[in-house]
Structures are given as structure tokens and as C-alpha cells.
Amino acid sequence: MSFTDKAKNKVEELSGTAKERIGDMTDNERMRAEGASEQGEARARKAGENVKDAGRDAKDAFGR
């Protein structure tokens, strides 16, 4: 996972956290759900990239 991808995912995750908290404070269910959704998407993307990285590392280890 490149640094740019990691940064984008982290920004999206933090944005989702902020939306969720604002939704909590204002009692806005839609914003709360939107924030939770953004966090979930960012975390899923991060997990997928971690799996790809692990596969690449395993391939490199056995390729030597």
C-alpha cells in the first residue's frame, strides 16, 4: 500500500469519525450513519490492501 493510499484512507476514516461524532452531538441519525459508513469503507479498503501486501511479501519470501 503506497503512502498516498494510506493517507487517503486515514483522512476518510477521520472524516467519518468526525461526521459520526457531529451526528451524535446534533442527534442527526443520517450524519451518524454516514460517518460510520465512511469509517467502514476506509477500514475495509485498508484491510484489503494489507492482505495484498501480505500476499506480496509471502510471494517474495518463497521466490528466493
Side-chain angles (χ1 to χ4, degrees):
M1 176 183 252
S2 72
F3 175 76
T4 306
D5 291 335
K6 287 180 183 179
K8 285 180 183 178
N9 282 341
K10 193 62 171 176
V11 167
E12 187 172 345
E13 187 175 349
L14 291 174
S15 171
T17 301
K19 280 185 180 181
E20 189 173 18
R21 288 185 181 169
I22 291 170
D24 283 340
M25 288 186 295
T26 60
D27 209 23
N28 184 335
E29 194 61 39
R30 180 175 170 210
M31 185 172 275
R32 187 181 305 148
E34 203 173 290
S37 175
E38 281 184 20
Q39 286 180 65
E41 290 172 8
R43 288 177 183 156
R45 200 173 304 110
K46 181 180 175 183
E49 290 295 329
N50 287 341
V51 168
K52 281 199 282 188
D53 288 346
R56 200 172 302 121
D57 292 345
K59 178 183 171 191
D60 290 344
F62 286 114
R64 293 182 182 164

